[in-house]
Amino acid sequence: MRVLMEPAAPPSHLLKNSIDIFPWDDNFKTGLPQIDDQHRVLVSLLNKLASHVAFRSGTLSLEEVFDALTDYTIYHFKSEEAIWADVFADDHSMAEHLAVHEHFIQTLNTLKVARKKAPFDQVAHDALEFLTRWLASHILEKDRFMAYTVLAMQGGLPLEEAKARAHRQMEGVTRNLIDIILSLYSVLSSNTLHLMRKLDEHQKMEEAYREQRRRMEHLARFDALTGLPNRVLLTEKVQEIMDQAEPHFLAIVYLGLDGFKVINDTYGHEMGDRVLIIMAERIQGIVRGRDIVSRPGGDEFIVVLRDIHELDACIPWLASLLAASRKTIPIDAGRTLKLSASLGVSFYPQNEEITPDQLFRQADQALYQAKQAGKNCYHVFDMAHDHEVRGRLENLEHIRRGLERREFVLHYQPKVNLRTGAILGLEALIRWQHPHRGLLLPNQFLPLIENHPLALSLGDWVLDTALNQIEDWMTQGLPLAVSVNVCGQQLQTPGFTQQLRDTLAQRRKDVARYLELEVLETSALEDISQVTKVIHDCIRLGIQFSIDDFGTGYSSLAYLKRLPVHTLKIDQSFVRGMLEDPEDLAILVGVLGLAEAFQRKVIAEGVETLDHGERLLDLGCEGAQGYAIARPMPVDKIVRWVATWQVPNSWAFRPVRRKGDLSSFMHEASQRASKKTKSKR
């Protein structure tokens, strides 16, 4: 015979909303089907109460349970008493049985009354305890004994012998069964119930967590305000389209509302949210079912138009989107808002591999261009322009990193007196010791940073490095003047003079007298008043100034008079061409005349041959710089060059021409240039 054992804690997946703590099986059967059917109803009600006590599910109706128990007493007691009456009419056990039935009815009525006053869970627990004890003491003991007796008498035994057999049948096993039932209830009322409740609470927490996770996943992929896909989900959808075997043509339209911030500031965020919701609905009403509408955030939307091969096919949709954005939006009775939108467009596929994020960035860049163009319009992404911009940005980043990694160096080119050989100074010239491309000249990287903050950073580095080198040479007993090129942007930066003053204050007292700043003539003319003031301030610090590439900036005599510079550096193009081109020679002579008239020193750049030096001496110009003297050198070669430099004899012993001889010299030079031109023909 199978007996009920104390159950282990059931797994959490079984703890839904019911539990059969007293599962119906052969142990509960008496052998009389009519009685067993009624007992089965009672056990079912008992398990229903146990489930509520275990889970507190909130779905139990005590009224329904008590109504079912009332029906049980009416039907079961009458049918059972009728059976017993035939056998135990004159037996004392019949009277006891009727008294127990009466007690059951009284207890049930008491519970019904308590239901209206006592806490729901307390009444349910009391009912559970009552029915459990009824199951153990009455059904399993008294009803079973009487049923066994009836069955024995039906087998032909007299009453007393039948009762004796019934007692023998119930010895041991029935008592154990009753003890187990009561033990089960005791455990259910304490440890097991506590565990079941904890498991149920854990399950509810898990369900709450899963629900929260579902909401979080939804928020991570959808815009909370409009319900549209956000940037994350849009990226996934577009990537899926791009990954398909058959090529799909897409137009990515980035839509930004014009003046949305004003609406938020004027009418508040609630009105701003309302505008965004209305715009989302309007956009969705325009596009087709296969298109995708997304809100990445703020006042922007992204529309993915599918099967759009070219701009012409896209224009009607763009026009519809612009028209929808211009429709007024009602805010209250009689008042409306007027809006517009700007659109940026990119297309897929392209000539090179591209990701969804890159497509979105292209459309976003085009949106910016549309807003710059006046808003309420569309702009299509220009790939060629983008390559140019990206290339410049990459170059700027390389230069910035090169500066951080100390890849830039200074080379120095001497300036000398052609007749005496005296060293007039050195010009500091920047070079980039590129890790992959080798030594780069200034024209390979300086144009890339023109009018960019990097030009200032690089200019500051050159100035600081040159001053350090001046100090180093002074310490070696070799005081050499160094000229440094400064761009107009650097010279006109607010605080330039003060920054230079602070830099000089950290060095030897007399270092300023060896520093010369070279300013391009074109830069000096951009803001003559500001440049003149800065030059005056720097001169008071002991610094010399020169104008570089003089003759290329079309300066007037009035400008030359106002600029307080010490030296004019004649542009090398005129010096190189003076041997063959009479016009270059004439310009050179004119510049020398201006320098003499305004009492400025002169340095002629571009002296590449002995002939250049000789002709300059003939013109009365002795200051020069160029390859015939020395090429720009790294700093470690300067000291040796200074020690070994000698002026060529053709320069040192060149006769000094009288001023009256200049016209005849010009005539001779013109004839030589004319002959060379004819010979080339």
Side-chain angles (χ1 to χ4, degrees), residues 516-633:
E516 180 182 59
L517 298 182
E518 294 188 10
V519 186
L520 283 173
E521 182 185 8
T522 50
S523 298
L525 299 179
E526 288 176 359
D527 189 343
I528 188 75
S529 299
Q530 174 65 16
V531 170
T532 300
K533 180 181 183 305
V534 173
I535 292 176
H536 275 298
D537 292 340
C538 290
I539 288 175
R540 282 192 281 271
L541 298 175
I543 298 170
Q544 300 269 316
F545 269 86
S546 64
I547 293 184
D548 198 15
D549 294 348
F550 189 80
T552 60
Y554 310 104
S555 57
S556 69
L557 295 179
Y559 286 155
L560 184 57
K561 178 182 177 181
R562 291 177 60 186
L563 286 171
V565 298
H566 304 88
T567 304
L568 304 180
K569 295 191 72 176
I570 303 175
D571 186 68
Q572 57 185 320
S573 62
F574 304 127
V575 177
R576 289 172 179 167
M578 70 176 181
L579 300 179
E580 300 180 355
D581 191 333
E583 293 180 352
D584 285 342
L585 178 61
I587 292 173
L588 183 58
V589 171
V591 171
L592 292 172
L594 286 174
E596 183 178 3
F598 287 96
Q599 298 181 336
R600 304 289 197 266
K601 298 176 184 177
V602 175
I603 295 291
E605 299 181 297
V607 179
E608 297 186 348
T609 66
L610 292 177
D611 284 348
H612 284 114
E614 292 169 3
R615 296 299 173 265
L616 286 172
L617 288 170
D618 291 340
L619 293 173
C621 176
E622 296 184 350
Q625 177 182 356
Y627 287 178
I629 301 165
R631 291 176 176 270
M633 296 172 281

Side-chain angles (χ1 to χ4, degrees), residues 100-114:
V100 172
H101 282 184
E102 184 63 30
H103 176 69
F104 183 96
I105 295 172
Q106 291 174 357
T107 303
L108 179 59
N109 289 333
T110 301
L111 289 171
K112 287 182 178 180
V113 173

Side-chain angles (χ1 to χ4, degrees), residues 88-378:
F88 302 98
D90 300 324
D91 193 88
H92 65 90
S93 60
M94 185 65 185
E96 292 177 359
H97 212 83
L98 293 174
V100 172
H101 282 184
E102 184 63 30
H103 176 69
F104 183 96
I105 295 172
Q106 291 174 357
T107 303
L108 179 59
N109 289 333
T110 301
L111 289 171
K112 287 182 178 180
V113 173
R115 175 172 54 86
K116 300 177 181 179
K117 300 178 182 180
F120 183 93
D121 287 341
Q122 182 61 50
V123 175
H125 193 280
D126 291 346
L128 174 63
E129 180 181 11
F130 167 65
L131 290 179
T132 303
R133 298 192 182 282
W134 175 267
L135 173 67
S137 63
H138 184 76
I139 292 178
L140 293 181
E141 188 171 16
K142 294 182 174 61
D143 280 359
R144 183 187 294 270
F145 171 77
M146 297 181 80
Y148 285 174
T149 301
V150 169
L151 290 172
M153 291 181 69
Q154 289 177 352
L157 293 178
L159 177 60
E160 291 304 323
E161 289 183 19
K163 288 169 67 175
R165 176 184 284 188
H167 279 300
R168 287 194 300 273
Q169 285 181 287
M170 293 181 61
E171 283 179 357
V173 174
T174 299
R175 186 68 261 167
N176 290 339
L177 184 60
I178 292 171
D179 290 342
I180 290 171
I181 291 294
L182 295 176
S183 176
L184 275 175
Y185 170 72
S186 177
V187 173
L188 178 64
S189 299
S190 54
N191 298 334
T192 305
L193 263 182
H194 177 73
L195 176 61
M196 289 178 177
R197 287 170 183 165
K198 287 297 182 183
L199 288 172
D200 187 53
E201 289 172 5
H202 178 69
Q203 182 183 20
K204 289 177 180 176
M205 288 176 61
E206 284 186 343
E207 290 176 355
Y209 169 75
R210 285 193 293 270
E211 179 60 27
Q212 180 69 12
R213 185 172 178 178
R214 283 193 292 270
R215 287 198 296 267
M216 293 296 292
E217 288 176 351
H218 185 272
L219 289 175
R221 297 161 65 83
F222 291 88
D223 173 46
L225 179 65
T226 63
L228 294 173
N230 62 13
R231 180 72 170 261
V232 174
L233 182 55
L234 178 67
T235 302
E236 293 176 4
K237 287 179 174 291
V238 173
Q239 187 64 63
E240 288 174 4
I241 296 172
M242 294 167 63
D243 289 342
Q244 293 176 10
E246 293 297 323
H248 287 265
F249 294 88
L250 304 176
I252 311 296
V253 183
Y254 222 117
L255 183 151
L257 297 178
D258 301 327
F260 181 76
K261 185 178 183 299
V262 177
I263 294 175
N264 256 345
D265 294 344
T266 305
Y267 299 99
H269 291 286
E270 288 187 6
M271 178 54 66
D273 289 347
R274 180 181 171 189
V275 169
L276 292 172
I277 292 171
I278 291 174
M279 283 304 304
E281 293 172 350
R282 289 181 179 177
I283 295 171
Q284 287 178 291
I286 292 171
V287 301
R288 302 157 299 181
R290 62 180 180 274
D291 299 327
I292 307 170
V293 182
S294 167
R295 178 177 175 244
D299 62 348
E300 296 177 337
F301 297 87
I302 298 178
V303 182
V304 180
L305 300 173
R306 303 183 68 169
D307 303 321
I308 300 294
H309 295 251
E310 56 187 6
L311 176 60
D312 289 345
C314 187
I315 289 177
W317 298 105
L318 301 180
S320 298
L321 289 171
L322 290 174
S325 69
R326 289 194 294 266
K327 290 181 180 179
T328 58
I329 295 177
I331 56 176
D332 54 32
R335 288 200 302 167
T336 58
L337 285 175
K338 289 185 177 180
L339 277 175
S340 66
S342 300
L343 309 177
V345 188
S346 63
F347 291 95
Y348 176 83
Q350 298 180 5
N351 292 331
E352 57 187 40
E353 291 293 326
I354 194 168
T355 66
D357 279 334
Q358 289 173 322
L359 280 172
F360 301 151
R361 283 198 296 271
Q362 289 179 356
D364 193 18
Q365 291 176 31
L367 170 62
Y368 174 78
Q369 295 295 326
K371 287 186 176 289
Q372 291 294 105
K375 303 178 181 179
N376 191 27
C377 62
Y378 67 84

